[in-house]
Amino acid sequence: MPTPSHLKSSLYFDFRAARRVPETHAWAGLHEHPVVDGGEEGTEDAVPVVDVGAAGAAARVARAAETWGAFLMTGHGVPETLLARVEERIARMFALPAAQKMRAVRAPGEACGYGSPPISSFFSKCMWSEGYTFSPVSLRSDLRRLWPKTGHDYRLFCDVMEEFHKEVRKLADRLLELFLRALGLTGEQIAGVEAERKIGETMTATMHLNWYPRCPDPQRALGLIAHTDSGFFTFVLQSLVPGLQLFRRGPDRWVTVPAVPGAFVVNVGDLFHILTNGRFHSVYHRAVVNRDRDRISLGYFLGPPPHVKVAPLPEAVPHGRSPAYRAVTWPEYMAVRKKAFTTGGSALNMVSTDAAIEPDDAAAAAADA
Ligand SMILES: C=C1C[C@]23C[C@@]1(O)CC[C@H]2[C@@]12CCC[C@@](C)(C(=O)O1)[C@H]2[C@@H]3C(=O)O
Ligand SMILES: O=C(O)CCC(=O)C(=O)O
Ligand SMILES: [Fe+2]
């Protein structure tokens, strides 16, 4: 029976003091599939790299999103010096005293706060990580919970995250346009068609920071449980310590994403899978830990505002066929995913138009949540 997240978060587990991985943090079944290196260029396991500033980027984005659901994005124009400052500030935040971090603990049902990521509430085991979620548009007030005295560190953290958000939100618009062009939409359609225009205009961003402390027995522990991101797409900035793994089928294996300085990993999320009628598929991924070095990552999650229904774009549905998914809002989808976790089903299958589930189930599940 999974432990409610508020119970897990009411006690601070001191990773720094741990000399072994306790039963509470030991996961079974971590080594069911082999792990292969995704950095060997020219091999079929090489994680696609797309220079989004180069000619032909839309076609490369499309290919990567169709075949992997993820890629390493270079040529994006976000200065490496900014990325280095972001990383430095994140490391300082996670190094705050436990009591200070616990002041900002995410309460059950809250979107923002400190502690294990929301997904951890579905599992009885704890992950070898700490996280902090906040909204970049309200970060100055959110961050007061961590730094009530709003001193030097608070100001530097907020300044650098605001600068990062400004750059990366623009980048998200550019990437969205590449994705839509890749689906075959022309510039005029993107600018003129109401549904598509609204996606870019209303897209929201959430930031989630991860700290994976070094671990005395990394084979027994897990940094972040395997999952698909639920939104449209995510930019992941990982420190130079690898740990992110993407799941590939045929044969089933985990591919380690190489740490490429200055690159973002782009993950396709479930709502983009729905929007593109499954043409761009969401990627199943996890994060592992290692014995010698801490690892930090930042996820910049893009998705629709809570009230907006996401349904397959007509351009993505093959001629003469009906859409493969029904329309859902993000909260409705999260509620379906919650149900999927407890029943062992697949949330995407549960919102597929083929599913033997009543059309109003997503809304009903949302009402229950
Ligand atoms: C916008 C969001 C996506 C996310 C849930 C959240 O509200 C904020 C944290 C995100 C995160 C990060 C770690 C993995 C994940 C599954 C989780 O539990 O929290 C994702 C969520 C998601 O993509 O669904
Ligand atoms: O730590 C990573 O590289 C991945 C993080 C992630 O998947 C997430 O925050 O959703
Ligand atoms: Fe993720």
Side-chain angles (χ1 to χ4, degrees), residues 82 85-94 96 132-136 139-140 142-144 146-147 151-165 207-209 298:
L82 173 60
R85 283 165 52 221
V86 165
E87 211 183 294
E88 187 203 335
R89 287 292 132 195
I90 297 174
R92 279 177 185 262
M93 186 277 284
F94 282 122
L96 287 173
Y132 183 64
T133 312
F134 62 96
S135 158
L139 76 122
R140 290 202 184 255
D142 287 357
L143 268 297
R144 276 164 176 255
L146 265 179
W147 279 287
H152 185 67
D153 278 353
Y154 163 85
R155 274 199 308 278
L156 284 178
F157 186 94
C158 293
D159 289 351
V160 80
M161 290 302 166
E162 265 177 5
E163 201 178 326
F164 178 82
H165 168 58
M207 285 168 81
H208 179 82
L209 315 178
L298 176 159

Side-chain angles (χ1 to χ4, degrees), residues 114-324:
Y114 200 88
S116 315
I119 198 175
S120 64
S121 63
F122 302 117
F123 300 89
S124 56
K125 296 288 181 177
C126 302
M127 300 179 209
W128 202 264
S129 59
E130 292 181 14
Y132 183 64
T133 312
F134 62 96
S135 158
V137 291
S138 56
L139 76 122
R140 290 202 184 255
S141 57
D142 287 357
L143 268 297
R144 276 164 176 255
R145 281 173 65 194
L146 265 179
W147 279 287
K149 295 200 180 118
T150 66
H152 185 67
D153 278 353
Y154 163 85
R155 274 199 308 278
L156 284 178
F157 186 94
C158 293
D159 289 351
V160 80
M161 290 302 166
E162 265 177 5
E163 201 178 326
F164 178 82
H165 168 58
K166 228 170 102 196
E167 290 279 336
V168 176
R169 185 59 188 78
K170 276 190 293 185
L171 179 61
D173 281 340
R174 272 176 57 204
L175 189 67
L176 177 69
E177 178 159 352
L178 283 181
F179 272 128
L180 295 178
R181 277 184 193 274
L183 277 178
L185 272 83
T186 61
E188 273 132 53
Q189 281 171 316
I190 294 169
V193 178
E194 185 58 12
E196 285 80 18
R197 202 177 56 221
K198 270 208 308 226
I199 300 168
E201 276 173 11
T202 61
M203 207 158 54
T204 64
T206 307
M207 285 168 81
H208 179 82
L209 315 178
N210 297 293
W211 174 50
Y212 306 100
R214 52 187 174 268
C215 174
D217 192 354
Q219 297 292 320
R220 254 162 74 85
L222 183 61
L224 185 56
I225 183 75
H227 63 280
T228 52
D229 295 339
S230 58
F232 282 156
F233 51 92
T234 311
F235 295 146
V236 180
L237 184 65
Q238 59 169 347
S239 59
L240 290 183
V241 182
L244 174 59
Q245 298 180 337
L246 310 177
F247 190 64
R248 301 278 289 158
R249 289 208 170 277
D252 292 354
R253 62 207 186 274
W254 289 104
V255 177
T256 303
V257 179
V260 176
F264 285 101
V265 183
V266 178
N267 290 336
V268 172
D270 290 342
L271 290 182
F272 219 55
H273 185 117
I274 293 172
L275 188 80
T276 64
N277 205 44
R279 189 170 147 193
F280 298 161
H281 71 85
S282 55
V283 63
Y284 196 53
H285 57 284
R286 68 178 186 180
V288 297
V289 290
N290 76 85
R291 190 183 295 277
D292 309 309
R293 296 172 71 185
D294 287 13
R295 176 169 182 269
I296 277 170
S297 71
L298 176 159
Y300 188 88
F301 294 83
L302 291 137
H307 60 280
V308 167
K309 289 263 189 197
V310 177
L313 289 169
E315 292 78 3
V317 180
H319 214 67
R321 303 269 285 276
S322 42

